[in-house]
């Protein structure tokens, strides 16, 4: 089955700096890669996703890059703000069955004011 | 966007009793819903896939007789934890696939279960 590894497990940055979280996956059949933000005790919220037919996607301060050959994808957050502090999960799945995603272990991001 | 509601948000029950958690898609029909379990500071682990009108598909290692899943309508799936034990205490989250948004899944608010 799919195996997703996420690094780092914790990340602390100063407000205004950039944050990068990286994930690798094992199953070359995976073609859908969402990123979720989860605040303590709350539901995961989709913040950005990318499909394997593109290499990069950007939405304001958030971007995701995908390297299919190397089987890794990364989340980039620029101009970080304290409200960006949360746990971020990457996931990988086959597009038509996104609910069966394999999730990374999560990265706790702390943005210091 | 699509809204998925989960109830109750928190529940405390005694060992040996059963607890039911509901997951509803409020503004769309969800033929498929998913149930996850999340321990503190850990990732989401898929427990089962709930299909409307048919039996749920359980992931390896998940006891189907302990975690009963029913998907009786296109907007409601339920998870019943039977004969609950303290080790069943966890955060349970459902999600539903919204086919009109490219198969994006939307999560419920989650339910904290504490078994005492």
């Amino acid at each position: 089955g799919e195996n997703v590894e996420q690094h780092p497990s914790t990340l602390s940055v100063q407000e205004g700096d950039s944050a990068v979280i990286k994930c690798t996956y094992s199953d070359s059949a995976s073609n859908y890669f969402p990123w979720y933000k989860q605040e303590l005790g709350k539901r995961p919220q989709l913040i950005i996703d990318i499909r394997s037919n593109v290499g990069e996607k950007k939405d304001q301060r958030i971007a995701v890059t995908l390297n299919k050959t190397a089987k890794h994808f990364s989340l980039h957050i620029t101009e970080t703000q304290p409200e960006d502090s949360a746990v971020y999960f990457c996931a990988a799945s086959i597009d038509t069955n996104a609910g069966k995603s394999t999730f990374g272990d999560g990265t706790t991001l702390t943005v210091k004011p | 966007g699509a809204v998925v509601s989960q109830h109750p948000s928190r529940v405390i029950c005694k060992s040996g009793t059963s607890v039911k958690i509901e997951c509803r898609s409020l503004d769309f029909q969800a033929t498929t819903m998913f149930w996850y379990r999340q321990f503190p500071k850990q990732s989401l682990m898929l427990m089962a896939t709930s299909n409307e009108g048919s039996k749920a598909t359980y992931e390896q290692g998940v006891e189907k007789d302990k975690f009963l899943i029913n998907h009786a309508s296109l907007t409601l799936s339920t998870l019943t934890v039977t004969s609950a034990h303290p080790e069943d205490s966890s955060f349970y989250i459902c999600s539903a696939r919204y086919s009109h948004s490219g198969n994006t899944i939307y999560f419920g608010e989650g339910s904290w279960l504490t078994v005492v």
Side-chain angles (χ1 to χ4, degrees):
Chain A
E2 176 66 276
N3 181 46
V4 176
E5 294 189 358
Q6 183 172 346
H7 298 279
S9 57
T10 59
L11 179 59
S12 181
V13 300
Q14 209 63 39
E15 182 177 1
D17 289 349
S18 295
V20 180
I21 303 170
K22 298 181 179 181
C23 288
T24 61
Y25 62 100
S26 60
D27 189 349
S28 57
S30 291
N31 59 2
Y32 177 63
F33 308 94
W35 285 89
Y36 299 94
K37 176 184 180 182
Q38 186 181 30
E39 297 177 12
L40 186 63
K42 297 191 176 180
R43 77 180 90 197
Q45 292 192 313
L46 178 71
I47 56 171
I48 197 167
D49 58 10
I50 191 168
R51 290 179 169 82
S52 59
N53 56 343
V54 298
E56 184 174 359
K57 185 176 178 180
K58 189 174 182 180
D59 182 4
Q60 299 182 338
R61 295 187 296 110
I62 296 173
V64 57
T65 58
L66 170 66
N67 184 326
K68 284 193 300 181
T69 304
K71 296 196 189 71
H72 65 71
F73 55 111
S74 301
L75 176 71
H76 304 253
I77 305 174
T78 58
E79 301 173 30
T80 54
Q81 301 166 2
E83 50 265 39
D84 293 330
S85 297
V87 180
Y88 291 81
F89 292 98
C90 64
S93 72
I94 296 173
D95 191 6
T96 53
N97 206 355
K100 294 199 71 173
S101 293
T102 299
F103 292 85
D105 287 339
T107 296
T108 301
L109 174 63
T110 303
V111 180
K112 298 179 181 178
Chain B
V3 178
V4 177
S5 177
Q6 197 171 330
H7 178 80
S9 58
R10 290 182 180 274
V11 58
I12 300 173
C13 71
K14 293 184 178 180
S15 281
T17 62
S18 296
V19 175
K20 180 185 287 188
I21 301 170
E22 293 185 348
C23 179
R24 292 181 185 274
S25 56
L26 297 186
D27 51 0
F28 66 100
Q29 294 183 332
T31 55
T32 306
M33 292 184 174
F34 305 90
W35 287 95
Y36 310 83
R37 184 173 182 176
Q38 186 178 32
F39 290 108
K41 297 186 178 181
Q42 293 190 23
S43 190
L44 290 88
M45 297 298 295
L46 179 67
M47 298 174 65
T49 302
S50 172
N51 302 297
E52 187 267 336
S54 64
K55 292 183 179 181
T57 304
Y58 290 82
E59 296 299 302
Q60 191 173 8
V62 178
E63 300 175 60
K64 62 180 182 180
D65 294 330
K66 181 167 185 62
F67 298 100
L68 300 179
I69 292 172
N70 183 272
H71 195 150
S73 77
L74 286 171
T75 59
L76 173 64
S77 176
T78 60
L79 167 68
T80 302
V81 183
T82 63
S83 187
H85 293 283
E87 55 265 32
D88 297 326
S89 299
S90 186
F91 191 50
Y92 292 88
I93 311 177
C94 69
S95 74
R97 189 170 71 202
Y98 182 43
S99 59
H100 292 292
S101 67
N103 292 313
T104 301
I105 60 169
Y106 293 88
F107 287 91
E109 304 98 321
S111 299
W112 286 100
L113 170 63
T114 303
V115 184
V116 298

